[in-house]
Amino acid sequence: MADQSALGIFLVVSTVALWGIVIWLTCIHISEYIKRRVRIRALVMDDRGGVRDTHELGKQKELLIGKSTPAKMVNIDFSDSAYAASIEEEHAALVRYGSYWYVCARAQKGMVGLRQKEGNVVYKLRRGIPYRISRGDIIYISYEKIVLE
């Protein structure tokens, strides 16, 4: 009789412990999912270090960066930039794959650069190759700056 009650207590304690582990792992998974789903904002900076424009990187699949024309509208427009002569109509794009965002250079001649949050080096991006971006990164379109927040 004592063996049966000890076995019953053991089974109850084991079941409670197992459910505690399952709930803990589920919470970790949900928190990681929420971290990935947090929206990033692209802040277009002016030459004095102020914010000229803000774009929410939300549910859309792509934001085109360049100069708007009657035939082609872009999301992040540098038509009025002091460096507009060195920026092409379709200079770059911010593209979402799954829950991550990437920057992809499309310019034939103009420069697209990326400085990651932890680094001091600005990497010149190769045309047509997507580079993963995250908060704190800075994208350079010619001499213009887009800060990801």
Side-chain angles (χ1 to χ4, degrees):
M1 185 87 143
D3 289 338
Q4 287 181 346
S5 65
L7 179 61
I9 292 172
F10 173 76
L11 289 175
V12 168
V13 169
S14 298
T15 304
V16 169
L18 181 61
W19 276 107
I21 292 170
V22 168
I23 291 170
W24 179 68
L25 290 174
T26 303
C27 289
I28 290 174
H29 179 72
I30 290 171
S31 69
E32 289 298 317
Y33 176 77
I34 289 171
K35 284 181 188 174
R36 284 184 295 188
R37 298 295 298 177
V38 171
R39 296 214 171 114
I40 299 174
R41 293 188 316 161
L43 307 176
V44 180
M45 308 305 283
D46 63 15
D47 56 353
R48 294 183 204 110
V51 178
R52 184 174 72 174
D53 201 3
T54 302
H55 298 273
E56 183 85 21
L57 305 186
K59 294 182 180 181
Q60 66 270 34
K61 296 271 186 191
E62 179 179 40
L63 281 121
L64 190 58
I65 303 169
K67 295 188 298 190
S68 286
T69 63
K72 185 75 168 181
M73 297 300 289
V74 297
N75 302 96
I76 301 176
D77 189 7
F78 288 109
S79 297
D80 61 348
S81 166
Y83 307 103
S86 63
I87 298 174
E88 297 181 18
E89 291 177 12
E90 289 189 29
H91 202 87
L94 299 175
V95 182
R96 181 172 57 93
Y97 294 116
S99 60
Y100 297 107
W101 281 90
Y102 297 82
V103 61
C104 186
R106 292 187 177 176
Q108 298 272 348
K109 299 176 186 172
M111 195 276 282
V112 178
L114 175 64
R115 189 181 90 194
Q116 294 176 323
K117 167 173 68 172
E118 299 86 23
N120 293 326
V121 178
V122 176
Y123 297 98
K124 183 177 180 184
L125 305 186
R126 294 181 61 195
R127 186 171 176 249
I129 298 174
Y131 295 85
R132 188 168 162 200
I133 56 176
S134 60
R135 290 181 187 276
D137 292 351
I138 299 174
I139 300 168
Y140 294 91
I141 305 297
S142 185
Y143 293 100
E144 296 287 350
K145 191 187 311 187
I146 301 172
V147 177
L148 302 172
E149 178 182 87

